[in-house]
Amino acid sequence: MITHAPILPILIPFAAALLQLLGDRLPFQRVVGGLATALLVLLTAWLALLADDGQLRVYALGDWPAPFGIVLVVDRLAAAMTLLTAVLGFVSLLYASAGFDQRGRHFHPLFQLQLLGLLGAFLTGDLFNLFVFFEVMLLASYTLLAHAGGLERTRAGITYVVLNLLGSALFLIALGLLYGTLGTLNLADLAYRLTLPGHDQALARLAFALLIAVFLLKAGLLPLSFWLPHAYSAAGAPVAALFAIMTKVGIVAILRVQVIALAPTMPDLLDHWLTALALATVVFAALGTLVAVRLRALAAWLVLLSAGALLVTPAQASAEVSAAAIYYLVQSTLAGAAFFLLAGVIAEQRGSAADHFTTRGASPASWLKVAFLVAATTAAGLPPFSGFVGKLMLLTTLRAVAAGPAIWVVLLCAGFVVMIALARDGCHLIWKNRAAAAGQAATEAIAWQKVSATLLLVAAGPLLAVLARPLADYGERAAAQLHAPGAYVAGVLGPRPAKTPAEAMP
Amino acid sequence: MEALLAIAVGVLTACGVFLILRARTFPVLLGLTLLSYAVNLFLFASGRLRLDAPPLLRAGASYTDPLPQALVLTAIVIGFGMTAYLAMLALRGLAESGSDHVDAGKEQ
């Protein structure tokens, strides 16, 4: 059981998707999906505990050893990310089971396939396999984005699909270049061969630059991020909540490639430009929160803002910064997802005004007002919730780096702007509509699934703040493990790779 | 042969990029298809070009690297599925807004 643990997070959603395709009835699909995601949460939590012994778990598919076969690699970071994905998947599916899944066909199998792609992307140790899992994730996300129809979704979907197809083409070019110059696509083997002489340095550098560019497209760095607010605000609430983790796939991939392959041999590849562009992304997203006209759009801008703040970290190449980034990543993903679900519930309560920031809608229920206050405090990075803790950790560790002052100014100013935007928009949603809606009938009750899903995600803000110490410790250990590329390479390839690159080259 | 392949990849990429920058979904779709052809050829060449060499290991005989061929096969399948989905999405956009301009029917 323990030896096969790394593959289980991929097999469970796959089996669930197949079952759901066989039994095409909604109640059956809901039960299977709910059970599968609940099982996934338990399993990934166990995996995260298991990975905490600091041992690198390498699972060779078909028992082919590392440079030849495909491997899955579980370290603390991968296990933590799968747990985050599973939790988000469970909550989003709970929300979607209240009726969103009826508004189009095949929602449940696609949702499981999306989870499969996400989990696989976090677990794999092979770049071509990463491409395949990216495509599984994207293909499911294209269809989920268009789920429940409407012109807005179709239009956002076309932009999103075209951009990601371009990204896939670039990904393949980068992989072709890497294979042509280094003769392997296994990440650990790539890192090992980069340290050996006899390959074309310039081509390898170009290939890694292309690869990073593709990851940045997924993560939403500034010149490549104009699609993100549009696509995320067009998606349905539970789909957008799951999408909140998709930008993080790109960020984790960059972090991993940077630390394992780039840091030992070409540490200057990300210097100078990545931090500046990430800060520009933060400024862009902060301005975006001011112009958002509805809550979903605001949530999309907040996701972009957290992606920008996280993209500051890979170029610093420091274990302390990565540790803070891991905590920030977890809390900002849950906070962003909470906003999407809140937007869905609030839109349902306010009738025709939906989640637009106008004064003509009905007033939402009292618990929603409190939930909005908690979520907004978390997202704006104000004490006492997890947004504040995450930002504090990030800023404290970034104090020592060269670009520290600039990062401090931008992040703090962006936090201030976001606070203004949230305060203003919160007033529109919660207080100002009371007079206008006095004559309206009480709004209809919300399904319990939606209420509990929203509350679970909103409660993550206070909960992650209470658990900040153990989580930050886990993040620190994960970052320490991540920042030991030698151990990763040795763990995947065995103590000493058997072949010299001259023999292995075609 | 290398020069011929390089020119083919270059021309396909140039045509693909030109078409992707058009404002209607149908040329964009064609452009993406051309670009994926270019990428597949490029990927195929990453295992080096060899004549009369099967992707099989046999004693004494010359062979070509089979891995890029497997990669290309995967890439073709994935690219084909994606393109088919995009065509469907573009048709739906056309049916809903009556125009295949990429910005047609935008709200606001």
Side-chain angles (χ1 to χ4, degrees):
Chain A
M1 180 69 178
I2 286 186
T3 47
H4 292 288
I7 186 92
L8 289 178
I10 296 173
L11 287 182
I12 290 176
F14 189 57
L18 289 182
L19 266 180
Q20 287 168 338
L21 280 174
L22 284 176
D24 201 10
R25 286 179 48 241
L26 204 58
F28 173 73
Q29 291 187 332
R30 280 180 184 167
V31 170
V32 170
L35 284 179
T37 43
L39 191 60
L40 213 52
V41 171
L42 294 178
L43 180 82
T44 49
W46 176 63
L47 206 60
L49 287 177
L50 207 61
D52 201 21
D53 62 1
Q55 199 189 331
L56 200 69
R57 281 182 174 71
V58 181
Y59 185 83
L61 292 165
D63 213 15
W64 286 89
F68 310 108
I70 292 170
V71 290
L72 303 177
V73 184
V74 182
D75 59 358
R76 291 191 182 102
L77 177 61
M81 294 311 298
T82 52
L83 177 59
L84 179 64
T85 311
V87 168
L88 209 54
F90 178 75
V91 177
S92 307
L93 194 66
L94 185 65
Y95 186 100
S97 294
F100 183 75
D101 53 353
Q102 292 171 336
R103 296 173 53 196
R105 298 196 62 203
H106 302 306
F107 176 83
H108 285 279
L110 286 166
F111 191 90
Q112 296 296 331
L113 287 176
Q114 162 106 47
L115 283 180
L116 163 76
L118 283 166
L119 293 166
F122 286 128
L123 288 172
T124 185
D126 181 279
L127 288 182
F128 194 80
N129 204 221
L130 180 66
F131 167 77
V132 173
F133 279 125
F134 262 33
E135 295 306 302
V136 172
M137 168 183 102
L138 288 173
L139 194 48
S141 75
Y142 300 156
T143 348
L144 287 178
L145 174 59
H147 183 80
L151 186 58
E152 190 196 353
R153 282 183 189 147
T154 309
R155 285 295 162 203
I158 290 176
T159 323
Y160 179 70
V161 175
V162 169
L163 264 174
N164 277 300
L165 281 177
L166 271 177
S168 305
L170 279 181
F171 201 156
L172 283 173
I173 292 175
L175 292 179
L177 277 174
L178 279 179
Y179 190 75
T181 48
L182 294 162
T184 182
L185 288 175
N186 181 295
L187 185 57
D189 205 22
L190 277 177
Y192 169 68
R193 293 194 186 192
L194 274 175
T195 59
L196 303 172
H199 62 268
D200 193 333
Q201 291 273 352
L203 267 185
R205 208 178 153 82
L206 181 66
F208 274 110
L210 272 176
L211 198 62
I212 298 286
V214 176
F215 294 154
L216 288 174
L217 170 69
K218 317 275 183 217
L221 191 77
L222 183 58
L224 308 172
S225 63
F226 297 107
W227 59 274
L228 193 146
H230 192 194
Y232 279 37
S233 55
V239 173
L242 187 63
F243 279 12
I245 200 165
M246 291 231 296
T247 57
K248 274 65 177 184
V249 179
I251 292 165
V252 170
I254 291 173
L255 205 59
R256 211 172 263 288
V257 168
Q258 198 275 333
V259 168
I260 291 167
L262 300 182
T265 46
M266 40 177 117
D268 55 333
L269 185 64
L270 301 183
D271 280 1
H272 308 306
W273 58 276
L274 183 58
T275 307
L277 286 178
L279 290 180
T281 312
V282 171
V283 172
F284 176 59
L287 294 178
T289 58
L290 285 178
V291 297
V293 293
R294 56 192 308 180
L295 190 53
R296 324 203 285 230
L298 180 68
W301 287 108
L302 287 175
V303 168
L304 186 60
L305 185 103
S306 70
L310 279 168
L311 283 171
V312 169
T313 59
Q316 316 305 338
S318 122
E320 290 85 51
V321 176
S322 298
I326 291 169
Y327 181 85
Y328 188 86
L329 191 155
V330 173
Q331 71 85 14
S332 67
T333 307
L334 292 174
F339 257 101
F340 282 117
L341 293 193
L342 265 180
V345 179
I346 288 179
E348 204 172 307
Q349 290 239 309
R350 295 179 79 224
S352 63
D355 56 342
H356 286 281
F357 301 131
T358 61
T359 51
R360 62 196 158 80
S363 186
S366 320
W367 69 269
L368 266 176
K369 296 177 182 173
V370 179
F372 182 86
L373 182 67
V374 173
T377 315
T378 310
L382 296 177
F385 300 131
S386 65
F388 172 72
V389 181
K391 192 179 256 183
L392 188 68
M393 284 166 64
L394 208 56
L395 288 176
T396 317
T397 51
L398 283 169
R399 198 172 43 183
V401 305
I407 297 172
W408 269 61
V409 170
V410 171
L411 284 187
L412 288 177
C413 290
F416 182 64
V417 171
V418 169
M419 191 178 72
I420 293 175
L422 282 169
R424 185 197 61 187
D425 300 336
C427 287
H428 276 112
L429 285 177
I430 288 171
W431 280 319
K432 287 195 178 169
N433 46 30
R434 193 173 293 158
Q440 281 190 347
T443 44
E444 57 185 289
I446 310 171
W448 66 268
Q449 293 101 324
K450 291 188 178 181
V451 176
S452 48
T454 312
L455 285 181
L456 272 176
L457 276 187
V458 170
L463 200 64
L464 290 184
V466 172
L467 296 176
R469 184 78 257 174
L471 285 175
D473 285 346
Y474 194 93
E476 245 165 57
R477 292 195 296 274
Q481 192 179 18
L482 178 73
H483 281 266
Y488 181 91
V489 174
V492 173
L493 296 181
R496 180 166 279 268
K499 281 191 131 190
T500 66
E503 278 176 274
M505 282 292 274
Chain B
M1 191 166 64
E2 277 81 2
L4 186 66
L5 192 89
I7 290 170
V9 170
V11 170
L12 279 173
T13 310
C15 297
V17 170
F18 174 77
L19 285 175
I20 287 169
L21 296 176
R22 310 295 291 170
R24 297 190 177 276
T25 48
F26 185 64
V28 171
L29 188 67
L30 283 185
L32 281 169
T33 316
L34 287 185
L35 190 66
S36 77
Y37 292 163
V39 168
N40 290 341
L41 277 180
F42 180 83
L43 207 55
F44 187 75
S46 72
R48 305 292 183 273
L49 300 173
R50 288 198 182 184
L51 286 177
D52 294 331
L56 294 168
L57 274 177
R58 278 175 306 178
S62 73
Y63 67 95
T64 185
D65 191 353
L67 192 78
Q69 310 199 359
L71 300 189
V72 169
L73 203 57
T74 317
I76 289 174
V77 173
I78 291 177
F80 186 72
M82 299 284 182
T83 312
Y85 180 71
L86 181 61
M88 196 280 295
L89 204 60
L91 279 176
R92 195 158 110 180
L94 178 63
E96 279 171 1
S97 69
S99 154
D100 72 338
H101 195 279
V102 287
D103 284 332
K106 225 172 214 172
E107 277 114 322
Q108 276 139 40

